[in-house]
Amino acid sequence: EDQVTQSPEALRLQEGESSSLNCSYTVSGLRGLFWYRQDPGKGPEFLFTLYSAGEEKEKERLKATLTKKESFLHITAPKPEDSATYLCAVQSTSGTYKYIFGTGTRLKVLA
Amino acid sequence: EPEVTQTPSHQVTQMGQEVILRCVPISNHLYFYWYRQILGQKVEFLVSFYNNEISEKSEIFDDQFSVERPDGSNFTLKIRSTKLEDSAMYFCASGRIGAEAFFGQGTRLTVV
């Protein structure tokens, strides 16, 4: 069964303190891995798509990387406005095009 | 920038009543989805829709639920005979084949 596990569940950082969020996945075949940001009471906001091991994507203070078993979302010098829940989702090559989400990492950046 | 729009943003309904949640997907997308998120829990797949028919549905998506694309722009989720446990955020999403999905801001459904 396709599965996504994210860690840690919650993370508190001081402003400027860099860290990484982990997304481990088990799929029969990976069509794509997706990172989203979700603010309270809002819908997931798309950040990155990764398709193959070794791929990296970057946007402002965020950088996503992918291996054959996991993905990392690196946050460099975070600011309070980066506080949100970060969601990882995968799309498998088996069956249809649904996205399977992990439980997310709640990030709090303190000023 | 194109976006997925959902209405209403908040719906309160009596247990046993029917509700219709509405979505306008991004116009050149071919795949449409409904997901739900119970407070504090993960985003759960309900159903995907492609080429005017359901392509996959989860175990949650039983006979109580139905989806429809009544015209070229709208995509609806109908929940018949609502139960207390149907209270959740419902998200519509749309996407192209093999690419990311874009989500709406959600409808908060409260069943009382």
Side-chain angles (χ1 to χ4, degrees):
Chain A
E1 184 184 338
D2 300 332
Q3 203 166 349
V4 178
T5 303
Q6 292 188 246
S7 62
E9 285 187 15
L11 182 62
R12 291 166 68 94
L13 300 173
Q14 291 293 325
E15 184 172 4
E17 181 187 1
S18 301
S19 188
S20 296
L21 314 182
N22 177 263
C23 170
S24 297
Y25 62 91
T26 305
V27 291
S28 50
L30 182 68
R31 190 185 303 278
L33 184 140
F34 309 88
W35 282 98
Y36 290 86
R37 169 190 171 129
Q38 186 177 31
D39 292 304
K42 304 292 184 184
E45 176 189 346
F46 170 71
L47 294 174
F48 302 111
T49 301
L50 301 166
Y51 290 109
S52 55
E55 192 174 357
E56 298 182 352
K57 293 275 180 73
E58 225 171 319
K59 179 181 176 180
E60 295 181 356
R61 295 177 293 283
L62 300 177
K63 179 180 176 180
T65 61
L66 180 65
T67 72
K68 288 187 177 178
K69 293 184 178 180
E70 57 191 350
S71 176
F72 291 94
L73 185 65
H74 307 278
I75 304 178
T76 303
K79 298 182 177 182
E81 53 263 41
D82 294 322
S83 297
T85 296
Y86 290 86
L87 303 174
C88 172
V90 298
Q91 200 177 54
S92 170
T93 55
S94 67
T96 60
Y97 291 84
K98 70 180 179 187
Y99 302 81
I100 302 162
F101 280 84
T103 51
T105 293
R106 292 190 312 279
L107 174 67
K108 178 75 173 176
V109 182
L110 305 171
Chain B
E1 184 174 318
E3 60 180 18
V4 176
T5 56
Q6 291 186 243
T7 54
S9 56
H10 192 188
Q11 173 96 43
V12 181
T13 189
Q14 295 275 343
M15 193 167 52
Q17 295 298 304
E18 174 183 287
V19 295
I20 298 176
L21 311 183
R22 303 181 191 279
C23 169
V24 180
I26 295 172
S27 61
N28 62 350
H29 287 178
L30 298 179
Y31 266 91
F32 313 121
Y33 306 85
W34 284 101
Y35 281 79
R36 82 172 183 190
Q37 187 175 33
I38 295 170
L39 188 64
Q41 297 187 24
K42 68 194 289 184
V43 177
E44 297 178 289
F45 170 74
L46 290 178
V47 65
S48 58
F49 194 87
Y50 173 73
N51 203 23
N52 287 321
E53 61 183 21
I54 290 174
S55 57
E56 186 174 357
K57 56 185 180 180
S58 71
E59 292 176 355
I60 304 167
F61 194 90
D62 59 21
D63 292 343
Q64 185 194 4
F65 295 89
S66 62
V67 291
E68 195 176 45
R69 189 157 161 81
D71 54 44
S73 59
N74 292 285
F75 182 48
T76 63
L77 175 69
K78 183 188 289 185
I79 310 174
R80 288 180 281 274
S81 190
T82 50
K83 299 176 273 195
L84 294 176
E85 53 265 39
D86 294 327
S87 295
M89 283 287 285
Y90 287 81
F91 296 110
C92 173
S94 69
R96 292 187 294 265
I97 293 176
E100 59 275 1
F102 291 87
F103 285 76
Q105 290 301 293
T107 293
R108 180 176 299 284
L109 177 65
T110 303
V111 183
V112 297

